[in-house]
Amino acid sequence: MATTTAAQQRAQAKARYDAFVAACPSRKLLDRISNKWVTLILAALGSGGSPAQSEAGCAGEPRSMRYSELSRLLAGVSQKMLTQTLRSLERDGLITRTVKPTVPVTVTYELTELGLSLHQMMRGLKSWAETHMDEVLAHRDTYDERDAG
């Protein structure tokens, strides 16, 4: 019986990842990254988060942001949800959390290389949603009128 190295085992597992299979771990990852707060956090960290850059399609440079900056930028996110989402992104290796021993303590969040690669796709998704919202709303109205009649 031939033994396999850890790298070979990872390569075999990767070849078996199939999100259409219920037990595939990529399903949990897809569930996490399809969350609206994940999309918005990645967009904020990847573009610097200023409103002017948001209008320019998130074209700013990635930068670190403090928790309070993210909280102000992401209108409607609760403290609990922001904290949970940041922790899950850190656990998945998409962001890093840096604590600076100042008074008071300063905590910043920044995209990792892995997070930057996902940001590129999320930026496109956010931009698509903003660009096509009028069309989607018109289709919803048409559907609702047809369904009500």
Side-chain angles (χ1 to χ4, degrees), residues 4-5 8 15 26 28 33 35 38 43 53 73 75-76 92 106 109 112-113 123 126-128 132-133 147:
T4 57
T5 66
Q8 289 170 325
S26 64
K28 288 185 179 183
I33 65 176
N35 176 283
V38 168
Q53 289 166 336
L73 185 63
D92 288 342
T106 303
Y109 298 90
T112 63
E113 287 299 317
R123 180 176 64 185
K126 177 184 173 286
S127 178
W128 183 93
H132 296 285
M133 197 64 235
D147 200 40

Side-chain angles (χ1 to χ4, degrees), residues 76-127:
V77 69
S78 68
Q79 181 178 353
K80 178 181 177 183
M81 182 54 65
L82 181 55
T83 299
Q84 286 176 346
T85 305
L86 289 168
R87 284 181 182 160
S88 70
L89 290 172
E90 184 182 11
R91 181 174 184 245
D92 288 342
L94 299 172
I95 64 171
T96 58
R97 178 179 183 266
T98 304
V99 179
K100 295 177 185 159
T102 57
V103 179
V105 172
T106 303
V107 179
T108 58
Y109 298 90
E110 189 170 12
L111 292 174
T112 63
E113 287 299 317
L114 186 60
L116 280 168
S117 68
L118 180 58
H119 161 73
Q120 299 302 321
M121 294 185 358
M122 292 304 205
R123 180 176 64 185
L125 184 61
K126 177 184 173 286
S127 178

Side-chain angles (χ1 to χ4, degrees), residues 51-65:
Q53 289 166 336
S54 292
E55 291 170 18
C58 296
E61 289 296 313
R63 71 171 182 94
S64 62
M65 294 180 78

Side-chain angles (χ1 to χ4, degrees), residues 6-66:
Q8 289 170 325
Q9 290 173 353
R10 284 192 301 275
Q12 289 172 351
K14 183 178 180 181
R16 292 190 302 259
Y17 291 154
D18 182 351
F20 292 115
V21 175
C24 183
S26 64
R27 276 201 179 185
K28 288 185 179 183
L29 181 58
L30 284 171
D31 185 46
R32 177 169 341 266
I33 65 176
S34 64
N35 176 283
K36 71 179 173 187
W37 298 120
V38 168
T39 302
L40 294 173
I41 288 169
L42 291 176
L45 292 173
S47 66
S50 78
Q53 289 166 336
S54 292
E55 291 170 18
C58 296
E61 289 296 313
R63 71 171 182 94
S64 62
M65 294 180 78
R66 294 180 64 177

